[in-house]
Amino acid sequence: MKNIKISIIVSVFIGLNVFSQQQKTIDERVDDLLKKMTLEEKIGQLNQYTNDANLTGPLVIKPNKQEEIKKGLLGSMLNVMGVERTRKYQELALQSRLKIPLLFGLDVIHGYKTTFPIPLAEAASWDLEAIEKSARVAAEEASASGIHWTFAPMVDISRDPRWGRVMEGAGEDTYLGSKIAIARVKGFQGNKLGELNSVMACAKHFAAYGAAVGGRDYNSVDMSDRMLWETYLPPFKAAVDAGAATFMNSFNDLNGIPATGNKYLQRDILKGKWNFNGFVVSDWGSIGEMIDHGFAKDSKDAALKAIIAGSDMDMESNAYRNNLKQLVEEKKVSVELIDDAVRRILRKKFELGLFENPFRYSDSERQKKQLNNPEHTKAAREVASKSIVLLKNENGILPLSKNVKTIGFIGPMVKLKRANHGFWAVELKEIDSSYIVSQWEGMLNKIGRNTKLLYAKGCGILDNDKSGFKEALEIANQSDVVVVSIGERHDMSGEAKSRSSINIPGVQEDLIKELQKTGKPIVVLINAGRPLVFNWIADNMPTIVYTWWLGSEAGNAIADVIFGDYNPSGKLPMTFPRTEGQIPIYYNHYNTGRPIKNDNDIVYKSGYIDITNSPKFPFGYGLSYTNFDYSNLKLSKTKITNKESIQVTMDIKNSGKFDGEEVVQLYIRDRFGSVVRPVKELKDFQKINLKAGETKTLTFIIDNQKLSFYNEKLEFGSESGEFDLMIGSSSDDIRLKDTFELID
Ligand code: GLC
């Protein structure tokens, strides 16, 4: 009886304590905890180590992590995957004096086990719902596997396809990139942080990492503040407005100051002007790398500069672990600065509910239910289909009839499995890649009993061995139609994968030239993580489909498009150059004082003597199996003040015989301003579904925000004057035009 009384008293006490804790605000609970922490324990929260089994950066030898965790000297780990492993490390953390749980972060860039198209491919879908769904599924699977935090979305604008990391982002356009940043943050974080199927998002890499000189990864970035504010910062601001819980800084120096030591970026803009209350994690070792930058004398100086600049957590450089205590003792760093960083991190741990239950995300039952479940697989296939871009379809070879007798499926990409995940796939060692649907399997799943599918590899991706051509030609000659799948290897785009030449490697184009001689109808699939240069194919092959790297349902999605079960709707999120010599090349360029009127008009004009200025394929370009007619453009007003807006309506008709989706793009041109303005800027778009023969009226609103820009003094606002309004199917396929005026 006595024991029962005691257990009742104890459970009432615990209940009251939990209740009182929950009644306290998170900030009060953070402050209570902070008061109990030693300086070493505080610095421990600013320290993040990787799991050595899955490195995503140069290995930094470190002391015994288990011991450090038990002493409360580590606040977070990355690259720890799965319920078992995260539990193991969390149990160690609960042996520490204050039992502060670890945060587990991972690059869940486009899927955990169910893998979606690489982000640049998803951007080609221009389907914000689909993109949000992709991030949602990634969060549902990762959060069931012990992960609290994904290092995504990467929101770096880039105009340089030599930079391998374009595959992780949303391309060259600030408006599209900002919308996609919002969709991805919302997808990852769900309705509220702390919900079991949500993870913290991490907007990265702050900032302007995509403008590395020469497209060479980790290289310097030098740009005007106006360019920074106008083009590179808005997607980050969009991420803050969408509630991104964390940021990650970038490796590059920006105008001479490494981002991780850049007070202007991290304190003045992010934590100051934008009032960001999450925390900033350094990119892998970037604090210590300030020594190589020549910005810090040594590790101690690096730690000093980083903590003052607003880098809250040190990923993998050991600079904070080894130096902050001494810097505080020497009064070079105030405890308040340390406390601010610790508060930001603890606040997120409380928001995630980790103090109530440190194991709540490490749930093997949920993990089993979530990973690669049918609903996720279906979503992956849909998003992949939407991401495919039809570049050419002359002679109407596509969609293929399901009665075609013999298909020759040729090329080095046809039977690859893991490659379809692209560079940033979560390497789930214990899970084999059998669930990934190769292009070959996708075709087999699709064709009927009466269709024969023949295969030949033809050649490798990188080597110059043409001995496989003979077999490929034999297969082609036995076929009614040939599908050939080529491209760059899946790990030729991604981190530290810049290419000076972005051609199709090896002898793959030669293979196609030989196949063309057979006279067979040929469909070319190009797999890549970036825009490539493939002029001969583009000029000589009638049917070309850009299939990027589409994730675990790649094969099924490609087959859906090839056989018309999904009518391709993708539009390029980046400009495709004719040659590397045109880079940087992007659609929203300035006009210059000597614009060329046409390709021959280059005498004393801004052009090249050896190539046109125009791209091979422009931003916003992509074909469909059907046609869309644009008509009936109406503006509610043609003169507005900056307090008013214009309602723009237009009709779009599917005049073909296939149901399909179209991305209707709205561009404006500010004809003149106190600073030069781009020849056109994307300011809105709508992706709509139209049945064959169907017409819809679309409405767009042009408000002052869309007419505003940063002037010379970095003031954001609009200026009176005339504007061109353009609506089209691509940045260089404008179907409807009008003008309007902004008046004082
Ligand atoms: C890498 C990448 C970054 C990634 C981090 C952790 O170096 O730059 O995007 O999130 O390290 O893997």
Side-chain angles (χ1 to χ4, degrees):
M1 187 56 185
K2 187 168 171 264
N3 286 347
I4 293 172
K5 274 188 189 157
I6 290 171
S7 60
I8 289 170
I9 293 165
V10 167
S11 54
V12 165
F13 173 75
I14 290 171
L16 284 174
N17 182 37
V18 168
F19 180 73
S20 70
Q21 280 299 316
Q22 277 158 354
Q23 286 317 298
K24 283 186 174 178
T25 66
I26 282 183
D27 281 344
E28 287 165 339
R29 297 173 71 187
V30 167
D31 284 340
D32 288 352
L33 180 52
L34 208 56
K35 285 181 193 119
K36 298 174 193 158
M37 295 171 78
T38 64
L39 178 59
E40 287 83 351
E41 288 165 334
K42 291 179 181 178
I43 292 168
Q45 289 302 304
L46 313 188
N47 197 16
Q48 182 188 55
Y49 289 157
T50 183
N51 172 28
D52 291 341
N54 300 75
L55 292 181
T56 48
L59 176 64
V60 175
I61 304 302
K62 280 186 288 309
N64 181 330
K65 287 176 197 161
Q66 277 76 353
E67 287 314 307
E68 301 240 334
I69 294 172
K70 284 195 281 192
K71 289 181 204 149
L73 301 181
L74 198 60
S76 170
M77 291 194 76
L78 70 149
N79 297 330
V80 181
M81 282 163 263
V83 167
E84 292 68 35
R85 287 195 196 89
T86 49
R87 271 191 174 277
K88 184 191 87 175
Y89 280 111
Q90 201 67 292
E91 278 156 6
L92 292 175
L94 298 183
Q95 293 175 36
S96 65
R97 185 176 76 88
L98 293 171
K99 303 184 183 345
I100 299 174
L102 292 168
L103 272 180
F104 293 110
L106 184 67
D107 295 286
V108 188
I109 308 296
H110 52 109
Y112 181 76
K113 183 182 176 200
T114 307
T115 305
F116 285 74
I118 58 170
L120 189 64
E122 278 190 354
S125 76
W126 293 55
D127 187 324
L128 299 176
E129 272 177 41
I131 290 167
E132 182 173 341
K133 176 69 178 170
S134 163
R136 189 87 294 272
V137 168
E140 285 168 357
E141 295 194 0
S143 62
S145 309
I147 304 304
H148 308 129
W149 175 24
T150 177
F151 302 130
M154 183 272 222
V155 302
D156 300 304
I157 294 293
S158 183
R159 295 165 157 173
D160 191 333
R162 292 171 297 180
W163 189 51
R165 300 198 76 165
V166 294
M167 56 78 60
E168 297 173 55
E172 71 188 45
D173 183 72
T174 301
Y175 181 84
L176 178 62
S178 300
K179 292 293 183 188
I180 290 177
I182 294 166
R184 286 181 170 147
V185 168
K186 285 166 63 179
F188 287 129
Q189 298 193 166
N191 303 320
K192 184 170 170 294
L193 269 198
E195 287 179 348
L196 264 186
N197 61 359
S198 293
V199 292
M200 292 198 296
C202 180
K204 70 184 186 182
H205 306 79
F206 195 59
Y209 181 33
V213 171
R216 208 177 78 223
D217 207 354
Y218 315 124
N219 203 0
S220 298
V221 172
D222 210 82
M223 70 173 62
S224 68
D225 275 356
R226 224 177 61 71
M227 172 69 79
L228 178 68
W229 281 94
E230 179 111 335
T231 302
Y232 292 86
L233 288 183
F236 287 101
K237 178 62 168 57
V240 170
D241 294 345
T246 69
F247 262 52
M248 182 184 291
N249 60 38
S250 55
F251 292 116
N252 57 285
D253 57 278
L254 173 62
N255 301 332
I257 313 281
T260 201
N262 197 308
K263 191 176 164 302
Y264 175 58
L265 283 176
Q266 297 179 134
R267 289 214 186 276
D268 302 348
I269 297 174
L270 180 61
K271 295 177 177 179
K273 188 173 174 64
W274 293 352
N275 196 24
F276 174 68
N277 66 10
F279 69 85
V280 177
V281 62
S282 71
D283 200 345
W284 185 291
S286 65
I287 293 177
E289 289 174 7
M290 288 198 283
I291 302 164
D292 287 327
H293 273 289
F295 186 71
K297 234 182 6 282
D298 51 26
S299 176
K300 185 176 171 186
D301 189 32
L304 174 65
K305 288 186 163 116
I307 194 74
I308 286 174
S311 291
D312 298 305
M313 186 183 279
D314 173 5
M315 180 193 290
E316 272 296 311
S317 91
N318 273 338
Y320 283 5
R321 177 193 174 282
N322 295 341
N323 300 288
L324 278 186
K325 183 167 185 283
Q326 195 182 4
L327 286 165
V328 171
E329 286 160 356
E330 292 169 0
K331 303 212 178 315
K332 289 179 182 158
V333 170
S334 70
V335 177
E336 288 68 28
L337 217 49
I338 304 282
D339 286 354
D340 175 62
V342 177
R343 263 198 198 89
R344 290 171 180 271
I345 293 163
L346 291 180
R347 199 180 291 137
K348 293 305 166 200
K349 294 186 177 186
F350 276 109
E351 284 176 29
L352 290 169
L354 291 176
F355 283 91
E356 279 70 26
N357 175 1
F359 303 103
R360 63 194 298 254
Y361 296 88
S362 302
D363 175 342
S364 42
E365 275 318 299
R366 213 156 62 84
Q367 181 176 256
K368 217 179 297 147
K369 256 198 333 250
Q370 287 294 347
L371 297 199
N372 209 220
N373 69 36
E375 193 248 327
H376 292 175
T377 304
K378 179 171 173 290
R381 179 170 180 165
E382 286 166 1
V383 177
S385 304
K386 289 167 178 272
S387 304
I388 291 171
V389 182
L390 180 61
L391 295 179
K392 282 180 79 177
N393 190 27
E394 290 160 8
N395 322 333
I397 293 174
L398 291 180
L400 296 186
S401 152
K402 288 187 182 141
N403 303 321
V404 66
K405 285 266 172 297
T406 307
I407 299 173
F409 205 173
I410 296 169
M413 308 299 190
V414 171
K415 293 201 171 181
L416 298 182
K417 301 270 283 183
R418 159 71 186 77
N420 292 294
H421 276 187
F423 177 88
W424 274 113
V426 173
E427 291 299 347
L428 300 177
K429 293 276 182 275
E430 64 276 14
I431 296 178
D432 65 28
S433 55
S434 59
Y435 72 102
I436 303 171
V437 182
S438 70
Q439 298 178 17
W440 175 257
E441 289 161 338
M443 200 72 95
L444 281 178
N445 294 340
K446 184 65 74 175
I447 58 175
R449 273 198 318 279
N450 305 328
T451 301
K452 202 163 36 164
L453 192 59
L454 305 177
Y455 168 72
K457 186 177 178 187
C459 65
I461 298 171
L462 295 172
D463 60 57
N464 296 324
D465 177 4
K466 297 187 178 182
S467 59
F469 282 22
K470 181 170 175 296
E471 182 200 18
L473 291 167
E474 283 162 7
I475 291 296
N477 284 319
Q478 296 167 46
S479 307
D480 300 305
V481 67
V482 174
V483 181
V484 54
S485 185
I486 60 163
E488 65 171 7
R489 209 175 52 200
H490 74 279
D491 61 355
M492 291 174 76
S493 296
E495 183 174 356
K497 303 293 182 183
S498 296
R499 294 179 64 193
S500 66
S501 158
I502 50 174
N503 64 358
I504 293 184
V507 293
Q508 301 176 81
E509 277 197 289
D510 297 333
L511 172 64
I512 294 183
K513 286 177 184 169
E514 292 308 309
L515 289 170
Q516 188 206 36
K517 292 173 187 167
T518 64
K520 298 287 181 180
I522 297 175
V523 176
V524 180
L525 307 183
I526 299 179
N527 308 272
R530 58 168 27 113
L532 294 180
V533 168
F534 47 95
N535 293 309
W536 185 88
I537 290 174
D539 296 338
N540 295 282
M541 300 311 289
T543 311
I544 305 169
V545 186
Y546 220 72
T547 52
W548 311 101
W549 292 110
L550 292 168
S552 40
E553 284 294 299
N556 285 330
I558 290 170
D560 287 342
V561 165
I562 284 183
F563 285 94
D565 289 339
Y566 181 79
N567 181 355
S569 61
K571 301 279 185 179
L572 298 177
M574 272 190 91
T575 301
F576 278 47
R578 297 171 186 274
T579 169
E580 295 82 358
Q582 289 180 308
I583 295 168
I585 179 170
Y586 45 96
Y587 84 95
N588 48 352
H589 58 82
Y590 298 139
N591 203 31
T592 78
R594 294 199 174 178
I596 62 169
K597 291 185 182 56
N598 55 55
D599 288 349
N600 305 315
D601 169 31
I602 59 165
V603 179
Y604 294 115
K605 289 294 183 70
S606 179
Y608 302 97
I609 60 169
D610 56 355
I611 199 165
T612 170
N613 286 357
S614 67
K616 196 65 186 174
F617 296 102
F619 172 80
Y621 173 87
L623 301 178
S624 168
Y625 294 148
T626 191
N627 299 306
F628 296 100
D629 299 339
Y630 290 55
S631 64
N632 205 13
L633 175 62
K634 289 185 188 137
L635 278 64
S636 59
K637 296 173 188 147
T638 53
K639 277 189 192 331
I640 54 169
T641 67
N642 62 14
K643 303 273 184 298
E644 296 173 306
S645 60
I646 299 176
Q647 179 176 294
V648 178
T649 58
M650 51 78 67
D651 292 344
I652 173 110
K653 178 179 182 183
N654 177 344
S655 54
K657 55 183 191 326
F658 287 94
D659 298 352
E661 291 167 286
E662 170 71 326
V663 180
V664 179
Q665 300 155 47
L666 182 148
Y667 297 88
I668 65 158
R669 177 177 189 175
D670 187 348
R671 288 195 185 161
F672 59 86
S674 60
V675 290
V676 295
R677 308 296 305 127
V679 294
K680 63 172 67 105
E681 298 172 88
L682 181 74
K683 289 296 179 184
D684 207 334
F685 64 87
Q686 289 186 39
K687 181 162 192 175
I688 41 116
N689 203 325
L690 287 169
K691 297 209 171 312
E694 187 183 8
T695 299
K696 276 182 186 165
T697 299
L698 302 186
T699 301
F700 299 91
I701 300 296
I702 294 182
D703 58 14
N704 195 54
Q705 167 79 18
K706 289 184 176 167
L707 306 180
S708 297
F709 58 93
Y710 289 92
N711 66 15
E712 199 182 353
K713 300 191 194 76
L714 290 186
E715 294 152 345
F716 186 71
S718 60
E719 295 174 2
S720 58
E722 290 183 331
F723 290 79
D724 293 319
L725 170 77
M726 297 161 271
I727 294 183
S729 181
S730 148
S731 61
D732 86 334
D733 180 5
I734 299 301
R735 308 286 183 85
L736 302 171
K737 274 185 183 175
D738 205 334
T739 59
F740 61 89
E741 194 180 352
L742 182 63
I743 56 177
D744 290 329

